[in-house]
Every structure is written in C-alpha cells, then in structure tokens.
Amino acid sequence: MLKLNKISLASIGLYVGGILFLVGFWAYAKGNSTLNLIGFFYGFPILLGGFAFKSSEVTPTPVLVPESEPVLALRKLQETPTQKQLRNDVTRYRYGIKAHLDEILEKVGMSPTDEERPILVGIYEEISQSEETKGAYSLVLRFRSPLMDFEAWQQKQDKLTRFFGPGVLAVVAALENKEVDLKLISVIADK
C-alpha cells in the first residue's frame, strides 16, 4: 500500500516540472505553440517550486528496529496522542524546519545553537523493561549528541517529561558514539 506521507513533494515537483519544461522546449523546436505555452508557463513554476521544497526538505527519520506484533498490539492499547503525533511527524517528509524536533529541543533548552543541537537519527518502539514501567509501551528517539554531554540530558529529563505531557515518562539512556536514547514511556494502564 502506498503511504502518502512517504512521498517527497519536492521530488514530485522536480519530476513533473522538469518533464513539462522539457516538453515546452521540445514543442518550441517543433513549432507547437500550445504545448510550448503549457511547458513554459506551467513547467517552469512547478520546477522552481520543486527546487524550493527540496532546499527546505527534512527526510523521514529511519525506523531502527522493525515493529513486532506484541509492540503493535501494546501500541494500540497504550499509545498517547503525543506519542502518536510524534511518531507520525518524524517518519514523514517535513518542510520549512531545520531538523526534526528542532522547535521542541529549543523549547526545553537543548538547542542553544544549530551546531550544538542533537540530531534525531532514528526511532523504534519497544516494551519497557525497567522496573518502574515494566510492560509499558515505549517510543524511543535516538539522538546523536556530539556537543551536548549526557549530564545535560539528565538535567533536562524532568522537563522533557513535563513537555511531552500527561501519561508520558521521559527517560534518557547513554549509548556509545555520543548517542542518547530518549525513551517516551506510556504510564497509563489502558486507554
């Protein structure tokens, strides 16, 4: 099944605009004024729009671990609206932003400059195994954070929990290579 959120509007604009523009040149060479007008007056603006979208395009974040049946079943029962919106937003093409979650990181004080901002490199879903939240649905966001140390993440953990709203507990975990997992764990029993 074709998922519309997995299609790049920029690529569509570039292909359609490019084809129409080339048809306009071909029609000009052949003396066909009708196709020439269509090619130039529609193809060129669509092509420019495609270039504009491409320059501000942020590609979908990859899913690091494929979803399993138990995780999908638990997601249906426990996923909060915040987790759902976040998962949908980061796994689709976005336009007009610098990076996925750039505004959120800025609001919680995790992005003093563009260079220091952690970069979202992947997501996955799991069933929580920690003692406090064992068996709960967890959406995990993996960030590469070379210029922000893990202590800064730990200091912002409570603020991240408050930001992502009721029913979500934010837990950070340090990984190798300056990567951090932000686990957004559902703390509601059933929906």
Side-chain angles (χ1 to χ4, degrees), residues 8 25-26 35 45 57 61 70 115 118 138 144 153 177-178 189:
S8 167
F25 270 119
W26 176 80
L35 280 179
E57 181 177 79
T61 301
E115 292 80 26
S138 179
R144 187 176 62 248
W153 282 90
N177 300 326
K178 301 270 187 176

Side-chain angles (χ1 to χ4, degrees), residues 69-86:
E69 289 299 320
V71 170
L72 289 174
L74 190 60
R75 181 204 298 167
K76 285 183 181 179
L77 293 173
Q78 295 184 357
E79 184 179 44
T80 67
T82 302
Q83 288 169 320
K84 182 177 183 176
Q85 181 182 357
L86 195 58

